[in-house]
């Protein structure tokens, strides 16, 4: 089953590999990202962060959608899905069974702008992200801001989200 | 190639704390450089900050704390350059050996690295007291 869906612009790295994997007893990490799937060098570098005894898969968005049952139908497997941004999240969150909460681990924007909404030091949302987050909240999902399990959960509320 | 220099990259201020600590034992000036990765930095910004330090003239040894850290992941492409070596899992004895070899000996870089890794491993030991 899929235990956690995480949005993180850094994708897989030490924080994820060392903390969330242990917390949820993750045995499979799935990085869903078209650009990484198509780039052998990126896959090699992200493999550096793979914990021992954990399977790391890279998938294109459309392949993940088509083959999601691979990760949802096995009750004895604990998977973690990592995506880079809200644009990709929008495509997949409704098809993941039993998903109630989405973890936001990082969303850094290259260029700051007055049009961006800063949530904290590691999460800044574009207008497009804000619209997606509102849609997600409207559908009854929770958006949890939490870098590591030891952090307290902070949930995004609709009244925090406004387009600029 | 030019002189050998070390770049220590960690999250938060660990790299600077290590340098300050090291300075009590050895002269780290012109040898040991530090970068700290901030929560707010994008991957592109982190790469830029590494690029601003690691030139094509000197021999660089990049040290990171953990293999899985974002520092290691983003330093990997710099290690493709002939003048850059990436080592992960640093500890104090390793850095001490590196600085001493660079500062006080004319040791070839491969030998420097071998000695530093030996020192790092020798620095880990269970002390039996009973």
């Amino acid at each position: 089953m899929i235990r956690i869906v995480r949005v993180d612009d850094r994708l897989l790295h030490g924080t994820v590999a060392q903390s969330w994997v242990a917390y949820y007893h993750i045995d499979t990490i799935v990085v869903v990202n078209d650009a990484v799937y198509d780039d052998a060098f990126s896959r090699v570098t992200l493999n550096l962060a793979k914990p021992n005894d954990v399977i790391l898969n890279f998938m294109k968005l459309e392949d993940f959608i088509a083959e999601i049952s691979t990760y949802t139908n096995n009750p004895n497997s604990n998977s973690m899905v990592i995506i880079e941004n809200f644009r990709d999240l929008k495509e997949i969150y409704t098809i993941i069974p039993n998903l109630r909460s989405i973890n936001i681990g990082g969303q850094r924007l290259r260029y700051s702008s007055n049009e961006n909404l800063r949530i904290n030091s590691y999460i800044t949302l574009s207008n497009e992200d804000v619209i997606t987050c509102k849609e997600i909240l409207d559908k009854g999902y929770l958006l949890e801001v939490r870098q590591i399990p030891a952090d307290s959960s902070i949930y995004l509320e609709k009244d925090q989200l406004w387009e600029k | 190639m030019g002189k050998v220099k070390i770049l220590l990259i960690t999250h938060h201020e660990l790299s600077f704390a290590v340098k300050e600590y090291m300075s009590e034992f050895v002269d780290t000036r012109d040898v040991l450089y530090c970068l700290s990765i901030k929560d707010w930095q994008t991957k592109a910004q982190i790469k830029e900050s590494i690029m601003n330090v690691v030139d094509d003239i000197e021999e660089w040894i990049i040290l990171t704390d953990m293999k899985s850290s974002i520092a290691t992941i983003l330093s990997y492409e710099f290690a493709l350059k002939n003048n850059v070596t990436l080592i992960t899992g640093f500890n104090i004895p390793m850095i001490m050996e590196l600085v001493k070899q660079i500062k006080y000996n004319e040791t070839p870089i491969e030998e420097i690295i071998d000695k530093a890794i030996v020192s790092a491993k020798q620095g880990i030991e269970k002390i039996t007291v009973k």
Side-chain angles (χ1 to χ4, degrees):
Chain A
M1 63 185 292
I2 294 174
R3 297 297 306 267
I4 177 170
V5 173
R6 178 176 170 98
V7 182
D8 191 335
D9 59 308
R10 292 180 182 175
L11 293 169
L12 180 59
H13 52 96
T15 307
V16 182
Q18 301 301 324
S19 60
W20 288 108
V21 165
Y23 187 74
Y24 281 122
H25 304 287
I26 298 295
D27 54 51
T28 307
I29 298 172
V30 193
V31 173
V32 181
N33 187 279
D34 289 0
V36 169
Y37 182 86
D38 289 331
D39 179 10
F41 187 79
S42 292
R43 296 199 304 272
V44 168
T45 58
L46 289 174
N47 254 298
L48 295 170
K50 184 184 90 65
N52 293 334
D53 305 324
V54 171
I55 296 166
L56 173 58
N57 291 335
F58 298 98
M59 296 192 84
K60 285 192 160 204
L61 199 58
E62 64 178 37
D63 294 339
F64 177 75
I65 292 167
E67 297 168 31
I68 192 167
S69 59
T70 311
Y71 302 103
T72 56
N73 286 355
N74 183 354
N76 298 320
S77 173
N78 292 324
S79 299
M80 175 178 203
V81 174
I82 306 176
I83 43 184
E84 188 177 34
N85 54 51
F86 289 96
R87 202 173 308 126
D88 289 350
L89 175 66
K90 197 176 171 179
E91 303 298 319
I92 63 166
Y93 75 98
T94 56
I95 62 165
I96 297 174
N98 303 316
L99 183 68
R100 295 265 304 115
S101 178
I102 295 150
N103 174 253
I104 310 174
Q107 195 60 201
R108 301 157 187 92
L109 295 182
R110 180 88 172 89
Y111 300 105
S112 60
S113 152
N114 289 336
E115 293 185 357
N116 297 329
L117 178 64
R118 188 177 185 275
I119 303 295
N120 61 24
S121 63
Y122 56 91
I123 298 173
T124 303
L125 303 177
S126 67
N127 272 344
E128 188 187 345
D129 296 336
V130 168
I131 293 167
T132 302
C133 286
K134 283 180 175 173
E135 283 174 14
I136 292 169
L137 293 174
D138 280 341
K139 289 191 170 128
Y141 293 88
L142 299 171
L143 289 171
E144 178 198 46
V145 174
R146 195 180 179 196
Q147 269 195 315
I148 57 171
D151 290 342
S152 301
S153 294
I154 297 169
Y155 293 99
L156 287 185
E157 303 285 347
K158 266 185 88 173
D159 58 11
Q160 282 179 275
L161 300 170
W162 63 90
E163 296 151 57
K164 289 195 172 180
Chain B
M1 284 295 171
K3 293 189 293 185
V4 180
K5 294 185 173 181
I6 303 164
L7 175 61
L8 196 55
I9 313 175
T10 67
H11 280 274
H12 307 296
E13 303 304 320
L14 175 63
S15 57
F16 289 93
V18 167
K19 182 175 180 179
E20 191 181 346
Y21 177 77
M22 295 294 306
S23 301
E24 292 184 20
F25 300 94
V26 285
D27 181 3
T28 60
R29 288 172 299 175
D30 303 324
V31 175
L32 187 57
Y33 296 80
C34 299
L35 278 180
S36 67
I37 293 176
K38 308 285 194 280
D39 262 358
W40 50 264
Q41 283 183 299
T42 63
K43 288 189 284 186
Q45 287 168 331
I46 298 167
K47 275 189 198 177
E48 260 178 33
S49 62
I50 299 171
M51 209 179 302
N52 288 337
V53 178
V54 175
D55 58 30
D56 293 328
I57 300 161
E58 316 287 8
E59 288 274 3
W60 284 94
I61 299 170
I62 299 179
L63 300 181
T64 62
D65 49 7
M66 284 196 305
K67 189 178 171 188
S68 63
S69 73
I70 195 78
T72 310
I73 292 168
L74 297 181
S75 296
Y76 190 88
E77 74 175 69
F78 292 89
L80 295 173
K81 297 163 92 173
N82 287 331
N83 66 320
V84 179
T85 303
L86 173 61
I87 305 175
T88 186
F90 73 76
N91 62 11
I92 297 293
M94 172 195 277
I95 302 173
M96 195 89 75
E97 186 66 29
L98 282 173
V99 174
K100 284 192 293 185
Q101 291 294 334
I102 293 167
K103 201 87 187 177
Y104 308 121
N105 296 302
E106 296 283 318
T107 318
I109 187 159
E110 283 310 319
E111 205 177 313
I112 290 174
I113 289 166
D114 288 346
K115 284 183 175 178
I117 291 174
V118 168
S119 290
K121 289 177 179 171
Q122 285 175 342
I124 301 168
E125 185 180 341
K126 181 185 175 189
I127 307 293
T128 304
V129 292
K130 56 182 179 296

